[in-house]
Amino acid sequence: MISDILMPALSMSTGPDRLNPIRLFLDADIVVQAIMLGLLLASVWVWTIILTFSMRVRRIARRCDRYERGFWKADNFEAFHKSAGDGDIAVARVAGAGLSEWRRNAAIRNLDLEGARQRVALAMDSVVGEEAERLADRLNFLATVGSVAPFVGLFGTVWGIMNSFFQIGQQQNSSLAVVAPGISEALFATAIGLFAAIPAVIAYNRFSFRVNGVEARLQRFADRLQPLLTRELEQR
């Protein structure tokens, strides 16, 4: 069935004197074909993660910018949070955790201010960590593809070369014309492995930096809000 799908594209090739990836795939051993397909699917998923993650980080940045601008200008943090804190806003969830803990402590008589300060800080720090973990959830797949895909491609190459040597034994002919096609097909598996791994490694390193940046931004917001809430408790 795969051959039927790819044959029209194969017929459009300019001639046998050029390297044709589709022909390399169709002529490869079934094991090598399975490896190539797996690596291609991994590559598609890697690029899907790259595109969706980039859009998600930009969306988070825009929403946090809008919320923070209004939050620090507000006379009443609680009122602002109730009106603008709905929706998928990471920094609003941090603020909500701090404000919720602040309200619980404000209702306590003979409050231990140092304990209240720590509880408010821990409540926001916990949400900061959860937001960073949620943002970085799919990055593990990029790391896995980046580290494993070259070896999977290499396995396909080894298998293809073994098959080429088997053909030498079957045909009793060790000329380059006999082994070259099989070796080309085998090396194509390694090329696909690198095609999947290189973008995954680059994206993982870049996106890990972006996740750290978002986490640091949320932590700065929490560090700025915590003393303001603590000061409110001291005045009660």
Side-chain angles (χ1 to χ4, degrees), residues 67 70-72 74-86 91-107 116-117 119-125 127 221-222 224-233 236:
Y67 182 89
F71 187 87
W72 297 124
D75 295 327
N76 188 313
F77 291 155
E78 284 192 286
F80 175 82
H81 179 73
K82 288 180 180 179
S83 63
D86 293 334
V91 72
R93 286 189 284 271
V94 176
L99 291 169
S100 296
E101 186 63 32
W102 172 78
R103 282 193 298 271
R104 285 191 290 269
N105 283 273
R117 182 182 298 109
R119 288 190 292 271
V120 170
L122 287 174
M124 290 190 290
D125 290 347
V127 176
F221 177 87
R224 185 178 176 185
L225 179 59
Q226 187 265 340
L228 297 179
L229 296 179
T230 303
R231 194 174 301 117
E232 287 288 332
L233 292 174
R236 286 177 176 265

Side-chain angles (χ1 to χ4, degrees), residues 172-231:
Q172 299 295 317
N173 187 347
S174 61
S175 67
L176 189 61
V178 174
V179 299
I183 293 177
S184 297
E185 298 156 11
L187 292 175
F188 188 49
T190 297
I192 296 179
L194 294 175
F195 177 77
I198 291 173
V201 171
I202 295 173
Y204 177 79
N205 292 333
R206 176 59 181 167
F207 291 159
S208 295
F209 176 78
R210 298 289 295 275
V211 170
N212 292 336
V214 172
E215 184 177 13
R217 173 180 186 164
L218 297 179
Q219 190 62 57
R220 287 194 299 270
F221 177 87
D223 292 342
R224 185 178 176 185
L225 179 59
Q226 187 265 340
L228 297 179
L229 296 179
T230 303
R231 194 174 301 117

Side-chain angles (χ1 to χ4, degrees), residues 129-209:
E130 290 174 359
E131 292 297 321
E133 289 178 1
R134 187 169 66 165
L135 182 60
D137 182 46
R138 292 186 177 182
L139 298 190
N140 288 334
F141 183 80
L142 297 180
T144 301
V145 172
S147 59
V148 173
F151 295 101
V152 175
L154 182 60
F155 174 76
T157 297
V158 172
W159 185 273
I161 292 175
M162 289 169 56
N163 190 50
S164 296
F165 279 111
F166 176 78
Q167 295 300 324
I168 291 174
Q170 290 290 100
Q171 300 181 27
Q172 299 295 317
N173 187 347
S174 61
S175 67
L176 189 61
V178 174
V179 299
I183 293 177
S184 297
E185 298 156 11
L187 292 175
F188 188 49
T190 297
I192 296 179
L194 294 175
F195 177 77
I198 291 173
V201 171
I202 295 173
Y204 177 79
N205 292 333
R206 176 59 181 167
F207 291 159
S208 295
F209 176 78

Side-chain angles (χ1 to χ4, degrees), residues 6 10 18-29 31-40 149-161 164 179-197:
L6 295 179
L10 181 62
R18 290 194 177 187
L19 185 65
N20 192 316
I22 298 176
R23 172 56 66 186
L24 291 175
F25 173 80
L26 293 176
D27 292 341
D29 182 84
V31 174
V32 180
Q33 285 184 344
I35 291 172
M36 290 179 181
L37 280 176
L39 291 172
L40 286 174
F151 295 101
V152 175
L154 182 60
F155 174 76
T157 297
V158 172
W159 185 273
I161 292 175
S164 296
V179 299
I183 293 177
S184 297
E185 298 156 11
L187 292 175
F188 188 49
T190 297
I192 296 179
L194 294 175
F195 177 77

